Amino acid sequence: MQFAHGLVQRANLPIPEEMFFGAAAVVLIVSFLALAALWPQPKLEGDHWRPLPGGLGRLLGAPALETACGAAGVVLLAVVVVAGLAGTENGLDNFTPTFVFIIFWVGLAFASALLGNVFAAFSPWRAIGRASGWVVRRARGGRPPRHRPYPERLGRWPAAAGVLVFTWIELASGWGEDPRMIALAVLGYTAITLAAQAMFGVETWTRRGEAFAVYFDLFARIAPFERRDGVAGVRPPLSGLPRLDVVPGTVALVLVMIGTVTFDGISVGQLWDDLTGDAAFEAPVLVATLGLVGGVALVSSFYVLGVAGARTVGGDVSAARLRRAFVHSLVPIALVYVAAHYLTFLVFEGQGIAYLASDPLGEGWNLFGTAGATIDYGALSQNQAWYLQVGFVVAGHVAALILAHDRALALYPEAKLAVRSQYWMLAVMVGFTMLALWLLAAAQG
């Protein structure tokens, strides 16, 4: 098993791949035409949240439940660190790599898009920061700790850097299957996060700088569920994204999210072997690092091209404003890149958490009676996986078109200009779709 890469090879498909490519493009074009004809006014820009009925909202959003979830997160953090440092060096038999790269990184992305910001409740760093703040307040006679104002120019740049570093560890560093290095990275991240919380405040750093909190929050904005002021509620799917505050670093973060997965897909195909040759064996970390940066640059060029094209339609909207205005429409693309790319990774290797939970250090324990569990590789056939992956890709890009169209209607003074601006965004979406499908097809050997 390779923790560094998510795609697996598939058998021959009953329908030529070119037909999937063409059908996907047709679906996007038809969706674009339907939006132009049937969606004349913005529908997602407002606030449509409402609490769950019958007291269920307060029950699911209760502080006591959030505290319990935070405690569970702290326990899992401790298990990750202890297993990584004291357990077996074999990544296959150690709890830490599977939990970090499959259950946490991939599984929480799916959970966030379906259920909302579950990571906010389970975040061990937020829980530790809140508990530390409570202790400090008690020591100061009820006075809250002092914090520095968070520099607005930093925005989400720390989160973008954090996600990039995490994916570098996963894909380029060579540490992805080394439990000890992963545990040390977790400890280092914990120290940085707690220090930043002490400086700027727990909630401020969680909202702006903490890489995983910001990352999963973006996916959570797709979900139909949201917790506000201790109350769980519902809203139309996707409607959380137009309300995203696009502070500095937000565009970079979203492009990093898509670009790093793009590199992961490219790096398992024949094209990457042809491009890198012997260099990939002589200097693997350097080559992979350059590839990771190149993946982000490739995706960024798609977006810059779409924005430049949108400027040509008129409306006196600057390129900088367009970049900020439409970046939320790329979040569903980031999600489906993860969903399509890591689907089989989660379905198959993710099953390993059952036996690893009973024996997290690889010492032969059977804490929960599941040490004998095995992986069912028949849970999803290779062709079923391909169909689901293609479905994810197309659905995500249609969602992106909907968000971009809705924002254009709110941004431009005339519906005609709004539709014309989306010709270029359609081209961007088709480009992202073809890239995603090509990455999936390239993984076939």
Side-chain angles (χ1 to χ4, degrees):
M1 171 182 163
Q2 285 187 323
F3 288 103
H5 300 285
L7 289 173
V8 297
Q9 294 184 354
R10 291 181 301 278
N12 291 329
L13 296 166
I15 301 174
E17 293 165 3
E18 292 78 7
M19 291 187 65
F20 285 98
F21 282 55
V26 168
V27 169
L28 291 180
I29 294 171
V30 170
S31 299
F32 174 82
L33 295 175
L35 287 169
L38 304 176
W39 196 303
Q41 298 293 330
K43 300 179 181 180
L44 299 174
E45 293 289 323
D47 188 357
H48 307 284
W49 181 88
R50 65 182 186 278
L52 289 170
L56 183 59
R58 294 196 176 278
L59 176 65
L60 294 178
L65 179 60
E66 186 175 35
T67 299
C69 291
V74 173
V75 171
L76 286 170
L77 176 65
V79 173
V80 165
V81 172
V82 172
L85 294 178
T88 176
E89 295 182 13
N90 184 348
L92 293 175
D93 298 325
N94 191 297
F95 178 86
T96 297
T98 296
F99 181 83
V100 170
F101 292 122
I102 301 178
I103 305 304
F104 174 74
W105 184 241
V106 180
L108 266 181
F110 280 83
S112 299
L114 292 173
L115 303 175
N117 199 357
V118 292
F119 180 70
F122 283 94
S123 170
W125 302 291
R126 186 168 179 244
I128 293 171
R130 285 182 157 189
S132 300
W134 180 84
V135 171
V136 171
R137 281 195 300 273
R138 290 293 298 269
R140 289 169 55 87
R143 291 178 293 125
R146 295 179 179 178
H147 302 298
R148 295 182 181 179
Y150 185 78
E152 288 301 317
R153 66 181 183 278
L154 280 183
R156 293 188 174 95
W157 281 110
V163 170
L164 184 61
V165 170
F166 178 86
T167 52
W168 178 83
I169 292 173
E170 179 192 15
L171 304 174
S173 69
W175 304 343
E177 296 182 43
D178 186 336
R180 283 166 175 73
M181 293 305 298
I182 297 170
L184 289 173
V186 170
L187 284 174
Y189 184 79
T190 299
I192 292 171
T193 300
L194 296 182
Q197 288 177 347
M199 181 177 295
F200 300 117
V202 174
E203 300 306 324
T204 298
W205 184 251
T206 297
R207 188 174 61 254
R208 286 286 185 264
E210 204 269 275
F212 302 113
V214 176
Y215 176 81
F216 291 123
D217 173 68
L218 287 177
F219 289 148
R221 292 171 179 272
I222 296 172
F225 304 105
E226 181 187 5
R227 181 180 181 271
R228 295 186 185 180
D229 300 323
V231 179
V234 294
R235 64 191 178 191
L238 301 177
S239 63
L241 284 168
R243 298 176 59 244
L244 175 66
D245 54 331
V246 186
V247 297
T250 304
V251 175
L253 171 61
V254 176
L255 295 175
V256 164
M257 289 164 63
I258 302 174
T260 51
V261 180
T262 299
F263 163 71
D264 196 2
I266 293 173
S267 66
V268 299
Q270 185 60 44
L271 176 62
W272 181 250
D273 293 337
D274 294 338
L275 289 174
T276 58
D278 294 338
F281 298 97
E282 297 170 357
V285 175
L286 175 61
V287 170
T289 300
L290 293 175
L292 192 67
V293 174
V296 176
L298 175 64
V299 168
S300 300
S301 67
F302 269 135
Y303 190 53
V304 169
L305 178 63
V307 167
R311 280 209 70 199
T312 65
V313 307
D316 195 26
V317 183
S318 69
R321 186 182 178 193
L322 287 172
R323 282 195 300 271
R324 294 191 299 269
F326 289 101
V327 71
H328 70 292
S329 69
L330 300 186
V331 175
I333 296 177
L335 174 66
V336 297
Y337 266 52
V338 170
H341 191 82
Y342 296 111
L343 173 67
T344 52
F345 196 43
L346 180 63
V347 170
F348 298 129
E349 280 79 1
Q351 295 177 48
I353 203 66
Y355 57 78
L356 291 170
S358 277
D359 187 18
L361 276 65
E363 297 289 343
W365 302 344
N366 193 10
L367 299 176
F368 304 111
T370 58
T374 59
I375 296 177
D376 178 12
Y377 287 101
L380 189 67
S381 74
Q382 292 176 325
N383 284 348
Q384 286 173 337
W386 168 255
Y387 296 141
L388 282 174
Q389 289 165 328
V390 172
F392 285 149
V393 169
V394 174
H397 287 79
V398 170
L401 277 178
I402 291 172
L403 288 165
H405 177 77
D406 198 71
R407 174 54 56 85
L409 291 172
L411 184 64
Y412 288 94
E414 300 177 25
K416 180 176 67 176
L417 288 177
V419 172
R420 287 174 56 192
S421 74
Q422 294 310 289
Y423 295 159
W424 288 91
M425 295 307 293
L426 173 63
V428 170
M429 301 310 172
V430 171
F432 276 129
T433 302
M434 296 302 105
L435 176 60
L437 295 179
W438 175 76
L439 292 175
L440 293 173
Q444 291 185 82

